[in-house]
Amino acid sequence: MIPDNPYLLLTPGPLSTSKTVREAMNRDWCTWDEDYKSIVQDIRSSLLALSNGGDEYSTVLMQGSGTFSVEAVLWTCLKPEDKILVLSNGAYGKRMAKIVSLMGIKLELLDLEEHEQASPEKVEELLKQNPDITHIGMVHSETTTGMLNDYAPIAELADKYNKCFILDAMSSFGGVPLDIRSPKIDFLISSANKCIQGVPGFGFIIARREVLQACKGNSKSHSLDLYDQWKAMENDPGKWRFTSPTHTVRAFLQALEELKGEGGITARYKRYVNNHQTLVKGMKNLGIEAFLSEEDQSPIITAFHEPSSPDFSFDKLYHLLKAEGFVIYPGKVSKAATFRIGHIGHVFPEDIKRLIIAIEKIKFW
Ligand SMILES: *Cc1c(COP(=O)(O)O)cnc(C)c1O
């Protein structure tokens, strides 16, 4: 017998999943069989509906972690002569820029501070100065700090100047309401193990059909060719190119049903906001302040200033909390002296209250 989870994950992916999602993995599937392909098709249409995509859009699933899907979009939509403007205020914006530079594609990087959002005026100025920009890429929920970037004015600019707009909505899709058509997003990227609350193994892209159709033959990567992957899934409905993560896919269908059961994205968003507010309030009582101002904050993950006491050590906090049954986000990606606690997944305000009690108990600084 494998023991049940020894601790709750307070990390923004992989995250704590429900027992029923994990149990859904407990059988094998044949990838060529109708039974399995119909699961894939159900998932594709459910994701489309969650984004309000309609006929103009199509969903493609892609093996690997979320970054593989980001990379698949970039390989597939960028041509050698193109130039992309990437807006970055954290590690995931930088990751997108890194992929582009490895591809040898021209890059204009708007490199912002972690507590700063891109100003639409600045972006418009860059678009005017660089008429050769063809694409704009940015992150919705920047998981580095928990910043929820307001992508709407940037997407509107992309539309106005006729640029392809790519949104890494990895850690927000399914947990923060959005409408892919208004303002228009050309490629929206997310993955199985974030707000839909599935287990890791694949990512997905919701793309405007017209734009994806025009990408035929662009990709210099075979396995990350999103166009080819799409055509395979369309021509033999629900069939993946290459081995698909069958158990993960089946668990994801269960996760989608549970999202519906909870009351959809709006209800899930409310729970996440409640988790966040419960956390911020409890931490404040312990003398620990949030890093971002409330209007910039996503309900996904919260960064806190480290206590200034010389006795404080993140490592010690991490290990003591783990012994109490909570795993917080290890490591430090932010430039500031902060630490982060995730609150998405099968996590409820009651869990956050238990966490606060645990921190109070182990407080050593
Ligand atoms: C999780 C995440 C990714 C993808 O990370 P992987 O480790 O490759 O799954 C990309 N962007 C953001 C904003 C994320 O939160």
Side-chain angles (χ1 to χ4, degrees):
M1 264 300 268
I2 301 169
D4 207 17
N5 285 338
Y7 37 70
L8 190 70
L9 295 177
L10 295 174
T11 55
L15 37 62
S16 288
T17 52
S18 69
K19 195 159 188 280
T20 34
V21 163
R22 297 193 301 275
E23 280 168 356
M25 291 187 284
N26 204 7
R27 65 156 281 188
D28 301 315
W29 297 88
C30 170
T31 51
W32 289 270
D33 190 85
E34 292 308 321
D35 291 348
Y36 179 70
K37 289 191 294 186
S38 74
I39 292 173
V40 175
Q41 290 302 82
D42 282 354
I43 288 173
R44 293 179 66 209
S45 55
S46 293
L47 291 172
L48 195 62
L50 287 175
S51 71
N52 198 28
D55 293 345
E56 283 167 62
Y57 285 83
S58 187
T59 315
V60 194
L61 311 183
M62 179 59 82
Q63 295 92 334
S65 83
T67 306
F68 291 63
S69 286
V70 174
E71 195 151 349
V73 167
L74 295 170
W75 274 114
T76 305
C77 75
L78 289 163
K79 293 195 190 68
E81 64 274 22
D82 286 340
K83 179 173 181 178
I84 182 168
L85 168 64
V86 173
L87 315 181
S88 166
N89 54 1
Y92 293 97
K94 285 214 168 61
R95 189 178 294 179
M96 197 186 277
K98 163 108 189 183
I99 294 168
V100 170
S101 58
L102 287 172
M103 289 169 69
I105 296 285
K106 278 171 279 174
L107 167 70
E108 181 73 32
L109 177 64
L110 181 57
D111 196 8
L112 302 153
E113 295 296 326
E114 287 174 343
H115 58 269
E116 200 186 0
Q117 293 217 19
S119 97
E121 293 75 28
K122 174 76 191 163
V123 171
E124 184 154 28
E125 195 185 307
L126 282 170
L127 291 176
K128 283 181 176 159
Q129 283 166 357
N130 301 274
D132 55 339
I133 288 171
T134 49
H135 295 67
I136 303 175
M138 69 179 288
V139 176
H140 187 206
S141 164
E142 179 46 84
T143 320
T144 311
T145 53
M147 172 80 84
L148 191 66
N149 286 311
D150 183 12
Y151 72 88
I154 312 298
E156 278 158 12
L157 283 171
D159 198 19
K160 180 177 167 190
Y161 287 88
N162 202 20
K163 314 294 181 193
C164 176
F165 184 68
I166 302 161
L167 188 66
D168 170 349
M170 205 72 69
S171 66
S172 56
F173 187 75
V176 178
L178 65 74
D179 183 333
I180 199 167
R181 289 190 286 193
S182 139
K184 188 174 74 189
I185 300 166
D186 293 302
F187 292 96
L188 180 147
I189 311 157
S190 188
S191 78
N193 59 277
K194 303 257 172 152
C195 296
I196 311 278
Q197 299 184 183
V199 301
F202 69 95
F204 55 88
I205 295 99
I206 309 174
R208 270 185 67 216
R209 283 176 180 272
E210 187 186 295
V211 179
L212 187 53
Q213 185 61 45
C215 293
K216 185 178 180 179
N218 282 354
S219 181
K220 298 235 173 5
S221 162
H222 184 40
S223 53
L224 296 177
D225 188 334
L226 191 68
Y227 176 88
D228 269 7
Q229 182 90 342
W230 179 48
K231 282 293 146 180
M233 280 187 181
E234 292 278 283
N235 295 343
D236 182 358
K239 180 72 180 70
W240 298 53
R241 292 179 314 161
F242 321 140
T243 298
S244 87
T246 48
H247 300 79
T248 300
V249 167
R250 180 59 188 87
F252 192 72
L253 182 68
Q254 175 65 23
L256 281 167
E257 277 161 18
E258 293 180 14
L259 172 60
K260 204 183 280 172
E262 185 171 350
I265 293 177
T266 317
R268 183 154 293 178
Y269 173 72
K270 281 193 187 133
R271 171 163 63 88
Y272 288 172
V273 167
N274 198 346
N275 286 347
H276 161 72
Q277 287 171 346
T278 306
L279 179 65
V280 168
K281 193 167 148 222
M283 293 294 261
K284 204 178 168 78
N285 288 339
L286 296 173
I288 303 171
E289 298 287 336
F291 174 66
L292 292 177
S293 58
E294 201 52 39
E295 68 267 20
D296 284 336
Q297 178 66 52
S298 75
I300 310 302
I301 181 170
T302 307
F304 293 96
H305 288 290
E306 287 186 357
S308 54
S309 159
D311 297 333
F312 182 81
S313 135
F314 175 80
D315 236 35
K316 190 165 173 188
L317 175 67
Y318 179 91
H319 285 103
L320 289 174
L321 278 181
K322 185 175 160 191
E324 295 291 324
F326 301 96
V327 162
I328 62 174
Y329 213 171
K332 175 177 166 298
V333 291
S334 158
K335 281 184 249 169
T338 58
F339 67 93
R340 303 170 297 164
I341 298 179
H343 29 74
I344 56 174
H346 197 66
V347 172
F348 299 83
E350 292 315 309
D351 297 312
I352 304 294
K353 285 181 189 153
R354 288 193 300 113
L355 170 78
I356 297 293
I357 292 167
I359 296 177
E360 210 167 356
K361 179 181 152 196
I362 55 122
K363 195 172 174 219
F364 55 88
W365 58 89

